[in-house]
Amino acid sequence: MGTDTLAFIRPAFSNPFTANPGASGDAQLCNTYLAIGLATLVLLVAYYWRTAVGCRTGNVQLLPGGKPLIGHMIQLLQNQHRFHDWILEGATRMGWKTYCFTVPLLPTWFVVTDPTSIEYILKTEMHNWVKGSHFFATFGPVLGHGIFTSDGPHWLWQRKLATHIFSVKGFKRYMSQVFAEHMDILSARMAAAAASSTPIDLHDLMYRFTLDSFGKIGFGVQLGCLASSDAKVPFAVAFDTAQVICVQRFTSPGWRLTELLNGKRSQLNACCSVIHGFAHDIVQQRRELLAQQQAADAAAGADAAAGAAKTAAMKEQQEEQEDDNSAQDLLSLFMAAKGVDGKPLNDKELVDTVINFIIAGRDTTAQALSWTLYELLQHPAAEQQLLQELQEVLGPLPADSSSSRQAVHPSYEQVRQLRFTRACFLEALRLHPSVPANLKFAVHADTLPDGSAIPAGCQVLYSPYVVNRSKSFWGPDAEEFRPSRWLSMDSMPSPYSYLSFHAGPRLCLGQRLAELEGVYVLAGLLARFKFSQVQPGAKVDYVFSTSLPMMQGLAVTVQERE
Ligand code: HEM
């Protein structure tokens, strides 16, 4: 160390009884600040290193273009609005091998596209690959402890219970009652738009259809969004906004601080109070109904005791009805059940359940329907083939004078015969999966079947948007909308190569319901109405969110078919 350096540091350690005590005190203070500053810097660099760069990439290839200290932050922020396409470009650039990128203060991102490795994560080693606390921190304010944010016994308990509503008996009833009832309202709105030549937003109407239908199937309530003339459904606006804010947390370094500064935190809180209020009303209504029913039952029981005993036939009929009701209504199942702790669910837990099932039952299917209608508008030959199938299976339309026309209600059996219509729905979902990207966190360090070593605490991204467009599985025309590919398949593709409905033990519970609903709506609408884009051929973008909403909606004009 040179004399100059010594001269610089010496005053801090020199005798305090010197000729100039003031100068020495200042220097001492200055050095204390310097020491604190240096220590903070060292801690920050250590934290940063631990969370974002260097050793946290395992043996996996880093996406080119990262910068020292900030990693891929700029690239990520520049591409946030087209996140799924950016990940797809990365996969192509990295030869469809697992790759990673880093962003300060966020866990390293590992992008996995190999179906065998995805199967390993979602099935073989699922106990090591969890949603975890990071996922809960980002989505917890909206989804609470519902099925989408849970792991382990709490998740399994919810899954097993919910399975009861997905029965063939239930599906037939939904089709003949719930979907039919809402198809009447939807068709009336379409007919009015056709008569007045007023453009409509198909995307918005699909959301209203699925929200009302699932409100009835899941919770037995009449939400009335389809019939409402309000331009916006306040719950829907809050729900969509909250999801966008939450998903951006995954890509925003230091989101806890930035959300406070840019007002997003208070916006999210406001959205959450609308969302939770909406779900809370549903739970309260049910509690009141149950209380009324119990009072009526008690009165009827007293009458029965005073009079004759119930016959065996009456009892059987009542039991059958109870069985029917529980199969029909998700909320009654959760209200009657005891949780993993052996206690009935409290209001907050029921609210979480309602919200999680709304996201499952409303957003996914509405988006899948919207993207299918969008693709059919771009591919008139496919639409023509679909119309031909409708003619063959459904026969001629009910009446030919438009004033006396009725909504088209395909039966359960007819829906099952509409193979090409279903192919259109699945093909649109391949290109526009309603859950376009998904994450799991490593509890312990692990090595994937493709040899990628993933450090503990890191996140793997498995993207249906990307995997569903892999040319090695789907062929050179993987990027094209070609529904007929589904008809030439001997069997359904592996869910690890067609990830739209997820795969493994957490496979979508509502897949069959969604397919039936999707085909029902497509058939019911397209048999009667012809849609044209207001701006023919206009490209529709997606919003970066939990699911895949349309940025601009889907503005169309409507005509009654001849
Ligand atoms: C086109 C429509 C649909 C698509 C594309 C879809 C897709 C998915 C995906 C990708 C997941 C995995 C999400 C995750 O945990 O990370 C999932 C889970 C789930 N879906 Fe669907 N879904 C659709 C419709 C439905 C419907 C109508 C319901 C009915 C309520 C439903 C119920 C569920 C449930 C309960 C889960 C959680 C499964 C679990 O974690 O064990 N889905 N769905």
Side-chain angles (χ1 to χ4, degrees):
M1 199 176 279
T3 36
D4 288 356
T5 322
L6 281 174
F8 172 71
I9 60 168
R10 194 173 294 121
F13 304 100
S14 62
N15 187 339
F17 305 104
T18 54
N20 187 355
S24 162
D26 284 352
Q28 211 167 349
L29 198 64
C30 172
N31 282 333
T32 309
Y33 284 145
L34 192 68
I36 292 173
L38 274 174
T40 312
L41 192 67
V42 168
L43 281 176
L44 275 177
V45 169
Y47 176 71
Y48 171 71
W49 188 261
R50 212 189 115 52
T51 53
V53 291
C55 57
R56 308 290 288 170
T57 60
N59 61 356
V60 175
Q61 286 281 313
L62 200 58
L63 185 72
K67 301 275 181 289
L69 288 177
I70 58 166
H72 299 82
M73 186 173 78
I74 293 178
Q75 290 181 46
L76 176 62
L77 292 179
Q78 278 173 345
N79 287 286
Q80 202 180 40
H81 64 288
R82 55 184 294 280
F83 180 81
H84 311 297
D85 287 283
W86 181 61
I87 298 292
L88 175 63
E89 282 157 18
T92 312
R93 191 169 175 191
M94 304 303 280
W96 291 82
K97 302 229 163 25
T98 298
Y99 72 94
C100 64
F101 61 92
T102 65
V103 178
L105 306 176
L106 294 177
T108 306
W109 294 74
F110 289 86
V111 181
V112 180
T113 54
D114 161 42
T116 312
S117 297
I118 296 176
E119 180 168 359
Y120 177 85
I121 292 164
L122 299 187
K123 187 169 141 196
T124 323
E125 286 297 312
M126 79 173 284
H127 60 276
N128 189 47
W129 293 94
V130 297
K131 302 225 172 187
S133 55
H134 190 65
F135 199 87
F136 184 76
T138 48
F139 279 113
V142 180
L143 299 178
H145 292 278
I147 193 164
F148 286 109
T149 46
S150 303
D151 292 302
H154 187 54
W155 156 72
L156 192 58
W157 176 84
Q158 298 188 67
R159 182 168 176 103
K160 278 189 176 159
L161 194 56
T163 312
H164 294 281
I165 66 158
F166 303 103
S167 66
V168 171
K169 202 169 147 197
F171 294 153
K172 287 190 176 170
R173 191 178 35 237
Y174 306 151
M175 215 141 270
S176 58
Q177 293 172 7
V178 183
F179 296 156
E181 182 190 324
H182 293 106
M183 180 55 84
D184 285 342
I185 310 172
L186 184 63
S187 298
R189 285 198 72 158
M190 298 288 178
S196 63
S197 307
T198 314
I200 51 159
D201 180 1
L202 263 182
H203 192 37
D204 177 62
L205 285 172
M206 292 302 103
Y207 269 125
R208 288 174 192 248
F209 182 93
T210 55
L211 181 58
D212 278 4
S213 301
F214 201 73
K216 192 81 187 137
I217 292 171
F219 325 121
V221 289
Q222 212 51 279
L223 293 172
C225 304
L226 253 182
S228 160
S229 56
D230 293 347
K232 299 274 176 205
V233 177
F235 163 79
V237 175
F239 203 41
D240 298 344
T241 311
Q243 288 185 59
V244 171
I245 296 176
C246 287
V247 91
Q248 284 180 354
R249 291 177 167 185
F250 284 111
T251 54
S252 311
W255 58 264
R256 284 184 176 81
L257 182 65
T258 48
E259 273 184 12
L260 281 178
L261 299 176
N262 64 18
K264 288 261 168 80
R265 179 69 53 83
S266 45
Q267 197 184 358
L268 180 62
N269 290 343
C271 290
C272 285
S273 70
V274 175
I275 297 164
H276 292 141
F278 178 86
H280 191 262
D281 285 351
I282 291 178
V283 173
Q284 263 330 100
Q285 272 180 36
R286 176 54 59 87
R287 286 218 190 281
E288 282 161 22
L289 192 72
L290 282 178
Q292 284 167 14
Q293 272 172 0
Q294 271 166 5
D297 285 354
D303 285 354
K310 278 184 188 167
T311 62
M314 274 170 73
K315 265 191 190 164
E316 205 176 290
Q317 197 184 351
Q318 190 182 346
E319 276 166 17
E320 214 171 79
Q321 198 165 357
E322 276 165 11
D323 174 48
D324 242 29
N325 286 344
S326 62
Q328 200 170 14
D329 190 331
L330 188 91
L331 188 54
S332 57
L333 277 174
F334 276 79
M335 278 180 141
K338 297 217 164 58
V340 267
D341 57 0
K343 294 183 191 152
L345 302 196
N346 60 33
D347 275 6
K348 168 76 177 88
E349 289 165 321
L350 289 170
V351 163
D352 290 351
T353 305
V354 168
I355 295 169
N356 278 257
F357 278 90
I358 291 181
I359 205 174
R362 167 207 180 233
D363 299 39
T364 52
T365 316
Q367 292 164 15
L369 273 164
S370 307
W371 288 109
T372 310
L373 290 162
Y374 168 74
E375 286 293 357
L376 288 170
L377 285 167
Q378 316 309 313
H379 297 88
E383 188 185 1
Q384 213 41 52
Q385 194 171 341
L386 186 149
L387 290 176
Q388 197 178 329
E389 180 178 75
L390 294 185
Q391 278 252 316
E392 284 161 17
V393 176
L394 305 183
L397 286 181
D400 55 4
S401 110
S402 63
S403 58
S404 65
R405 275 185 173 178
Q406 312 249 309
V408 179
H409 298 137
S411 68
Y412 178 79
E413 286 69 28
Q414 284 172 327
V415 163
R416 289 183 52 117
Q417 286 173 49
L418 294 169
R419 290 181 63 234
F420 186 75
T421 311
R422 175 173 173 265
C424 290
F425 187 69
L426 295 179
E427 180 70 345
L429 258 174
R430 182 179 70 79
L431 292 173
H432 313 278
S434 307
V435 182
N438 218 324
L439 290 170
K440 288 276 191 278
F441 291 82
V443 178
H444 304 292
D446 202 353
T447 302
L448 304 181
D450 70 357
S452 306
I454 314 286
C458 286
Q459 56 191 351
V460 296
L461 173 78
Y462 53 101
S463 160
Y465 190 90
V466 173
V467 172
N468 289 357
R469 290 166 188 248
S470 154
K471 290 195 169 61
S472 68
F473 186 83
W474 292 97
D477 64 354
E479 296 274 351
E480 275 172 41
F481 177 78
R482 191 170 63 78
S484 57
R485 73 174 84 235
W486 292 87
L487 302 182
S488 54
M489 285 177 195
D490 295 333
S491 58
M492 278 289 279
S494 150
Y496 300 98
S497 299
Y498 178 66
L499 267 174
S500 298
F501 288 102
H502 209 248
R506 295 193 80 142
L507 181 76
C508 171
L509 267 179
Q511 175 168 1
R512 286 197 55 211
L513 173 63
E515 285 183 25
L516 290 173
E517 186 176 1
V519 174
Y520 181 95
V521 174
L522 290 171
L525 283 184
L526 292 171
R528 181 168 165 192
F529 300 104
K530 176 174 170 45
F531 302 111
S532 313
Q533 248 179 309
V534 169
Q535 283 179 296
K539 186 172 175 288
V540 174
D541 300 307
Y542 56 76
V543 179
F544 176 52
S545 182
T546 331
S547 49
L548 205 67
M550 290 178 154
M551 175 92 76
Q552 302 87 349
L554 186 56
V556 295
T557 52
V558 192
Q559 277 172 286
E560 295 263 5
R561 286 196 196 277
E562 292 302 311

